[in-house]
């Protein structure tokens, strides 16, 4: 259990936090958005840690996690996916840094979500999310590259 919870923090601190903290452009809007992204990442980790035991109990069928328990994590996931793209669009971080932040957000949520749904559901929803993220990132990062 400790390793499971610590893994989420390690990825959050190494993938987006260090590059965002180091690479954010020192202008008001990027600083606010970068700070918000770091706060959202920390809140994602706290939410994932809080759901770890119920999710691990549900996996072998020892308990049930109500669907509403994931709502805060879903809101944080959406914020954690949108903020890096907005930061890249305003020239606040490099596109590669935004990609790391998106990956960390997906990992933080996905580690537990994979235990809560069946494999076919996970694959369908992951494919849909991947398509949406690829389209959004193509627009955001293309604009970020051409404006740099």
């Amino acid at each position: 259990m400790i390793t499971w919870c610590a893994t989420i923090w390690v990825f959050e601190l190494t993938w987006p936090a260090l590059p965002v903290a180091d690479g954010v452009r020192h202008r008001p809007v990027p600083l606010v958005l970068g700070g918000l992204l770091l706060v959202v990442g920390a809140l994602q980790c706290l939410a994932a840690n809080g759901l770890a035991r119920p999710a691990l109990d549900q996996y072998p069928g020892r308990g049930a996690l109500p669907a509403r328990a994931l709502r805060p994590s879903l809101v944080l996931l959406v914020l954690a996916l949108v903020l890096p793209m907005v930061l890249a669009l305003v020239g606040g971080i490099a596109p590669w840094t935004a990609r790391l932040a998106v990956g960390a957000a997906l990992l933080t949520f996905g580690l537990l979500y994979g235990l809560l749904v069946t494999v076919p559901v996970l694959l369908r929803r992951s494919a849909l999310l991947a398509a949406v993220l690829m389209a959004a990132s193509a627009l955001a990062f293309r604009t970020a590259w051409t404006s740099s």
Side-chain angles (χ1 to χ4, degrees), residues 57-80:
D57 284 345
Q58 179 176 320
Y59 181 68
R62 290 191 304 240
L65 187 66
R68 70 180 181 281
L70 282 179
R71 285 185 191 141
S73 293
L74 283 169
V75 170
L76 291 169
L77 175 64
V78 170
L79 286 171

Side-chain angles (χ1 to χ4, degrees), residues 19 35 40 48 53 73 97 118:
V40 167
R53 173 56 59 202
S73 293
T97 307
T118 64

Side-chain angles (χ1 to χ4, degrees), residues 9 16 30 62 75 77 82 86 137 145 147:
W9 285 96
R62 290 191 304 240
V75 170
L77 175 64
V82 170
V86 172
S137 65
W145 280 114
S147 66

Side-chain angles (χ1 to χ4, degrees), residues 28-45:
V29 171
L31 284 173
V32 168
L33 291 174
L36 185 57
L37 178 60
L38 296 177
V39 168
V40 167
L43 290 174
Q44 259 195 308
C45 290

Side-chain angles (χ1 to χ4, degrees), residues 16 20 25 37 79-106 129-148:
V20 166
R25 308 296 192 277
L37 178 60
L79 286 171
L81 294 175
V82 170
L83 282 170
M85 291 187 201
V86 172
L87 259 167
L89 278 171
V90 299
I93 56 174
W96 71 269
T97 307
R99 288 183 187 102
L100 286 175
V102 167
L106 291 170
L129 180 59
V132 169
L133 285 176
M134 284 189 292
S137 65
L139 292 172
F141 299 139
R142 180 182 52 162
T143 304
W145 280 114
T146 57
S147 66
S148 298

Side-chain angles (χ1 to χ4, degrees), residues 99-121:
R99 288 183 187 102
L100 286 175
V102 167
L106 291 170
L107 179 79
T108 302
F109 182 78
L111 278 174
L112 293 175
Y113 188 68
L115 294 173
L116 300 174
V117 297
T118 64
V119 172
V121 169

